[in-house]
Amino acid sequence: MELVDPMCPLPFRVQKVSWENSDVVTLDLVPESSSTPTKFQPGQFSMLYAFGVGEVPISHSGSPTEPSRVTHTIRTVGAVTNAIGKLKRGDTLGLRGPYGTAWPLKEAQGKDIVVGAGGLGMAPLRPILYSIAQEREKFGKVALVYGARDPKDFLFKDEWEVWKKNDIEIHMVVGQSTSDWKGHVGHITTLIPRLKLEPEKTCAFLCGSEIMMRFTAFELEKRGVSKSHISISLERNMKCAIGFCGHCQYGPHFICKDGPVFAFDRIEELMRIREL
Amino acid sequence: METAILSRENFGALFESLNKLGYSIVGPTIKDGAIIYDRLQEVSDLPIGWTDEQTAGKYRLERRTDEALFGYNVGPHSWKKYLFPPRRRLWKANRDGKTLKIETESLPEEKLAFLGVRACEIQAILVQDKVFQGGTHKDPYYQTQRARLIVIAANCTEAGGTCFCVSMKTGPRCTKGFDLVITEILEASRHEFVLEAGTPTGQELLAHLPVRAATPQEEQRVDEGVANAARQMGRHLDTSGIKELLQRNYEHPRWREVAQRCLTCANCTIVCPTCFCSTVEDTSDLTGDHAERWRNWDSCFTMDFSHVHGGSVRSSPLSRYRQWMTHKLASWHDQFDTSGCVGCGRCITWCPVGIDITEETNAIRKSES
C-alpha cells in the first residue's frame, strides 16, 4: 500500500521576488516538477518551508487562474519568514497545500461586493479581485476598503489602476498620515458608513486583525448587511495544516480545515471570548 | 469455541503463539516505580503480584496478597506512544546547490501485539483512530502501525482509585475494538483466564492456545468481575448535555478558581491516552545542506502552543486549562463526534496538585442548578 505523507513538502523554485515595502515580500513560485498541481481557491493557504528553519502557513495572494505558479505575500517577522525573505530568484523552498476553506465567491455572484482589508490582510483578499476581474459582469458594485498603518504599508500599489479599470472602487485610510498623504486618516470602520451599498444584496470579505474584522463587521451590520454574508479570515499557530497538530483550535473549529475563512455568524460569539 | 479457559500455567503459550504469528509483544511491566508499557519477552515481565494505588495527585505501587497478572489499572503510559510516537522524524531534506530534495521516512514494518489493554484504553485508541485516520488526511505512520496491530484486552475486575469509565460509558467491560479479551479469575485454589475472541484474528490466536471451553459458571465470572469493578468506581461525571454545559460557561468563575491551582505543567496532556497535539522541530547539520523535520508530542498548556506573531493567544493559565478541558469534554464532540475523555483517570492521578476533571465539571454544573 502506497501511503502519501501529507506532511511532506514539495520543492518549488523562486521565479520572482518583489518587495512590497521594507518588510513585505511577494514571491512567485514554480513547482520543480510539472506534475505538481498549483491550483487553489481564493482564501486558501499553503505551508511554506524554509530549508532547515521551519514551516509557516501563508495565504495565496496570486491569481487562482494562473496555471503554472503560485504567489505568496509574506511579512518578514520571524525566523522562518526572514529566511524566506532572503531567498533570491532561482532558490528553492518547500511547499505543501493548498489548505483550508475559500472565500464564498460563488454565493456572492450577482451581489455587490465589499472587500475589507487591513494591512497585510490584503494578501489573501487579492485573489478575490483577480477572480472578480475575470468575470466582472457576474458581480454588482465592487468596493475595496483598505486600511494601513501608514501610506507605505499599502500593498500591490502597481495594480490599483488595473483594479479601478475593472470598475473596482478603492477607498483607503491610514492610521498615521505622512506629509504626502491626502486621503482619509483613521480606521477602516469610519469608511463603511460612507459606502454606497444596497445592504440586502451585499457580500463582504474581510481580512485584517481580529479587532478590525470584528468592528468592520459590526459597521456593515449597522448598514443592514446580513452577518451570514460577511466572511472573515482567521489566523492561529499552525504546525501541520491538516487537523493533526491541534495548535490552531478555535473553540470547536480547526482554523486549518474548518477555516481560515468563516462566515461571521458562525464565529461571532467565539470572537467575544478572550484568549479562546 | 466462544469462550475459553487458559490456565495460569499455560499463560506463556499466549506469548509463544503471538511470537510465532510474528508479533512483538508490548504490555505492562514495572519500571521506575510505576507500571508502564514496554516490550515484553516473557510472562515474568508482567507486574505479577503488584497493584497501583491511585488517588488525585498520587500513584504508588503496592504488593498484592495474590499473584495476579493484571491486578492493577492504568499507569502513566498509554498505548498511543506506539501508534503516535512521542518523537518521530517526519522527513529529511537535502540541498544540493539550488536543488531541494525531500526524502520521506520509511513506515513501520513490525507487527505489534498490545497485551492488557483496558476497556477505556480501547476507546482511547478508537478516538485516536478518528483523529489520525478518520479524516481527509491520514497519518501514514499511524495507519500502518494500526493495521499491523493485534489488541489483547483485559477486563477490569477491580476499579482504580481515579477511574470513572462507567460515567464515560467506556468500561469496565471490553465490548469492542479487541481481537481477544482476557478476564483474570483468581481464587485461593485456582488461577485462570477467561478468553473471548472479538475478531477472526483473535479466533485464530485462540486456536493456537492450549485452552478448554468455558462453563456457563465461568462465563458468569466475567460478568461478576466487571460488575465488581463498576461497583467500586468512586468517581462520577454527569455527561448529560456536557458539551452545551461547558460551551455556555466559557466565562464561568470556576475557571479562575482552578487556574489558581493549575501549574500548567502539561502532565495531564502527556498521560492522556487521547491527547494528540504535536509540534514540529526543524534541524540542520553543520554543512547546512542536510535538514530534518521531527514531530514531538506537544501540550496546549505551554505558552508556545498558541504563539502567533506578537505573543501567545492563551497567555493565562485560566485560558490554557479551559482549552484543555473544554476540548476534551466539549469541542471534541464537534470535531470527532465523540468525547475526548475515556474516564481512565490518568489526568487526575498524575496532576501534581490533584486537579480532578470530574470535580471541575461537576462544580460548573452544580452552580447552574
Side-chain angles (χ1 to χ4, degrees), chain A residues 3 7-9 13 49 51 54-55 91-92 235 237 239 242 244-245 247 249 252 254 273-276, chain B residues 91 98 104 137 144 276-279 282 288-289 293 298 305 307 309 314-316 322 327 334-335:
Chain A
L3 294 175
M7 289 292 280
C8 264
R13 199 169 285 277
Y49 168 64
F51 184 84
E55 225 178 16
D91 288 343
T92 42
E235 182 183 13
N237 186 309
K239 301 296 182 199
I242 50 178
F244 292 161
C245 79
H247 280 247
Q249 285 180 77
F254 286 97
I273 304 164
R274 282 181 60 117
E275 296 192 289
L276 183 64
Chain B
W91 41 260
K98 291 204 163 194
T104 56
H137 297 284
T144 309
F276 59 82
C277 287
S278 62
T279 188
D282 288 273
D289 289 330
R293 165 157 278 227
D298 200 7
F305 189 85
H307 188 92
H309 51 86
R314 298 185 202 105
S315 55
S316 69
R322 182 180 65 186
H327 182 219
D334 293 303
Q335 298 168 351

Side-chain angles (χ1 to χ4, degrees), chain B residues 142-156:
Chain B
Y142 188 97
Q143 220 179 352
T144 309
Q145 193 65 81
R146 180 75 172 95
R148 300 173 146 268
L149 179 66
I150 184 168
V151 175
I152 318 281
N155 278 323
C156 289

Side-chain angles (χ1 to χ4, degrees), chain B residues 84-368:
Chain B
F84 164 48
R87 180 167 165 79
R88 185 172 93 81
R89 186 166 54 208
L90 294 173
W91 41 260
K92 288 187 257 191
N94 294 303
R95 187 165 57 182
D96 182 9
K98 291 204 163 194
T99 308
L100 173 66
K101 270 216 177 85
I102 291 166
E103 203 182 304
T104 56
E105 273 307 292
S106 55
L107 293 169
E109 285 173 10
E110 192 180 28
K111 281 163 66 179
L112 290 183
F114 288 178
L115 175 62
V117 186
R118 304 298 183 170
C120 59
E121 300 184 303
I122 291 178
Q123 178 60 21
I125 295 170
L126 298 176
V127 165
Q128 285 212 329
D129 282 352
K130 290 192 171 202
V131 176
F132 290 117
Q133 54 182 26
T136 318
H137 297 284
K138 324 242 182 249
D139 180 318
Y141 187 96
Y142 188 97
Q143 220 179 352
T144 309
Q145 193 65 81
R146 180 75 172 95
R148 300 173 146 268
L149 179 66
I150 184 168
V151 175
I152 318 281
N155 278 323
C156 289
T157 53
E158 293 168 7
T162 55
C163 296
F164 56 104
C165 68
V166 171
S167 299
M168 301 317 291
K169 300 174 186 68
T170 59
R173 186 183 203 126
C174 301
T175 57
K176 58 182 173 181
F178 60 84
D179 294 289
L180 195 70
V181 61
I182 298 173
T183 310
E184 187 165 25
I185 300 178
L186 235 173
E187 287 164 6
S189 57
R190 68 193 279 220
H191 190 177
E192 289 177 329
F193 302 89
V194 183
L195 306 185
E196 299 160 88
T199 60
T201 311
Q203 263 160 3
E204 191 198 334
L205 177 62
L206 204 50
H208 280 78
L209 298 174
V211 291
R212 62 170 173 84
T215 64
Q217 288 80 7
E218 284 166 334
E219 285 179 27
Q220 210 183 328
R221 293 295 305 272
V222 178
D223 302 340
E224 288 164 12
V226 292
N228 182 56
R231 225 178 7 252
Q232 287 178 355
M233 215 150 290
R235 279 178 169 73
H236 177 69
L237 179 64
D238 179 0
T239 60
S240 57
I242 194 166
K243 172 173 121 65
E244 294 74 17
L245 172 78
L246 295 176
Q247 288 179 342
R248 67 175 171 262
N249 280 300
Y250 273 119
E251 310 282 8
H252 197 281
R254 183 74 186 190
W255 300 118
R256 232 184 356 256
E257 202 276 324
V258 67
Q260 299 283 315
R261 289 174 278 139
C262 176
L263 308 175
T264 66
C265 71
N267 263 17
C268 51
T269 53
I270 302 304
V271 295
C272 177
T274 66
C275 269
F276 59 82
C277 287
S278 62
T279 188
V280 288
E281 182 186 309
D282 288 273
T283 61
S284 57
D285 70 358
L286 287 174
T287 68
D289 289 330
H290 308 282
E292 296 182 347
R293 165 157 278 227
W294 290 75
R295 181 177 75 179
N296 302 329
W297 283 1
D298 200 7
S299 168
C300 54
F301 281 94
T302 70
M303 284 284 269
D304 267 359
F305 189 85
S306 62
H307 188 92
V308 283
H309 51 86
S312 290
V313 173
R314 298 185 202 105
S315 55
S316 69
L318 180 159
S319 65
R320 282 176 268 152
Y321 184 81
R322 182 180 65 186
Q323 165 61 24
W324 176 72
M325 198 175 110
T326 56
H327 182 219
K328 196 68 44 189
L329 295 173
S331 43
W332 214 294
H333 288 279
D334 293 303
Q335 298 168 351
F336 301 105
D337 201 24
T338 175
S339 175
C341 177
V342 298
C344 72
R346 283 180 176 90
C347 57
I348 306 171
T349 298
W350 294 94
C351 175
V353 294
I355 294 172
D356 179 341
I357 192 170
T358 66
E359 187 188 332
E360 295 312 313
T361 312
N362 293 342
I364 290 176
R365 189 183 292 278
K366 211 170 142 199
S367 73
E368 277 198 342

Side-chain angles (χ1 to χ4, degrees), chain A residues 159-188:
Chain A
E159 293 183 34
W160 295 0
E161 284 310 311
V162 184
W163 296 345
K164 282 179 191 161
K165 260 184 220 147
N166 284 321
D167 198 18
I168 294 169
E169 276 177 41
I170 305 182
H171 304 268
M172 283 174 298
V173 61
V174 295
Q176 264 186 329
S177 98
T178 46
S179 56
D180 56 344
W181 179 252
K182 295 184 176 61
H184 297 289
V185 178
H187 292 291
I188 168 174

Side-chain angles (χ1 to χ4, degrees), chain A:
Chain A
M1 180 170 45
E2 183 72 21
L3 294 175
V4 181
D5 193 333
M7 289 292 280
C8 264
L10 294 166
F12 276 64
R13 199 169 285 277
V14 178
Q15 190 186 47
K16 193 177 161 202
V17 179
S18 328
W19 284 92
E20 305 288 344
N21 54 43
S22 61
D23 64 352
V24 178
V25 66
T26 295
L27 301 181
D28 288 346
L29 305 167
V30 184
E32 285 280 81
S33 157
S34 56
S35 61
T36 303
T38 55
K39 258 182 98 85
F40 74 96
Q41 292 174 282
Q44 289 190 299
F45 67 94
S46 284
M47 297 297 280
L48 267 56
Y49 168 64
F51 184 84
V53 185
E55 225 178 16
V56 278
I58 305 283
S59 291
H60 283 261
S61 66
S63 167
T65 52
E66 169 58 53
S68 60
R69 62 163 188 257
V70 293
T71 301
H72 290 275
T73 301
I74 302 135
R75 174 177 285 153
T76 52
V77 282
V80 180
T81 50
N82 271 305
I84 292 172
K86 289 200 178 84
L87 296 175
K88 302 274 179 291
R89 186 188 149 86
D91 288 343
T92 42
L93 52 63
L95 186 146
R96 56 190 179 94
Y99 298 118
T101 53
W103 300 109
L105 269 179
K106 236 194 174 109
E107 290 84 333
Q109 286 187 359
K111 300 206 166 75
D112 292 346
I113 308 293
V114 174
V115 174
L120 194 62
M122 187 64 231
L125 291 166
R126 185 168 69 159
I128 294 179
L129 301 183
Y130 288 131
S131 291
I132 289 175
Q134 295 258 319
E135 305 179 290
R136 185 64 188 87
E137 69 289 351
K138 289 194 175 163
F139 298 88
K141 275 188 289 193
V142 180
L144 167 64
V145 190
Y146 189 5
R149 270 174 306 184
D150 65 61
K152 71 170 170 25
D153 287 330
F154 285 114
L155 308 178
F156 317 129
K157 293 187 186 88
D158 52 346
E159 293 183 34
W160 295 0
E161 284 310 311
V162 184
W163 296 345
K164 282 179 191 161
K165 260 184 220 147
N166 284 321
D167 198 18
I168 294 169
E169 276 177 41
I170 305 182
H171 304 268
M172 283 174 298
V173 61
V174 295
Q176 264 186 329
S177 98
T178 46
S179 56
D180 56 344
W181 179 252
K182 295 184 176 61
H184 297 289
V185 178
H187 292 291
I188 168 174
T189 45
T190 59
L191 299 182
I192 305 296
R194 300 160 193 246
L195 290 178
K196 288 188 203 82
L197 49 84
E198 289 177 65
E200 61 287 348
K201 53 171 286 219
T202 296
C203 277
F205 305 112
L206 310 177
C207 188
S209 65
E210 282 180 30
I211 194 148
M212 167 265 169
M213 292 188 284
R214 201 164 152 228
F215 282 90
T216 307
F218 290 158
E219 286 301 323
L220 286 162
E221 254 190 280
K222 272 191 218 159
R223 294 289 308 271
V225 179
S226 159
K227 279 181 212 179
S228 61
H229 289 160
I230 302 172
S231 301
I232 70 166
S233 178
L234 288 175
E235 182 183 13
R236 282 293 180 274
N237 186 309
M238 238 176 242
K239 301 296 182 199
C240 76
I242 50 178
F244 292 161
C245 79
H247 280 247
C248 70
Q249 285 180 77
Y250 187 63
H253 308 297
F254 286 97
I255 302 280
C256 70
K257 54 180 189 180
D258 305 321
V261 174
F262 291 93
F264 185 58
D265 60 345
R266 267 184 84 199
I267 51 162
E268 186 193 2
E269 288 305 314
L270 296 175
M271 288 183 89
R272 290 174 197 274
I273 304 164
R274 282 181 60 117
E275 296 192 289
L276 183 64

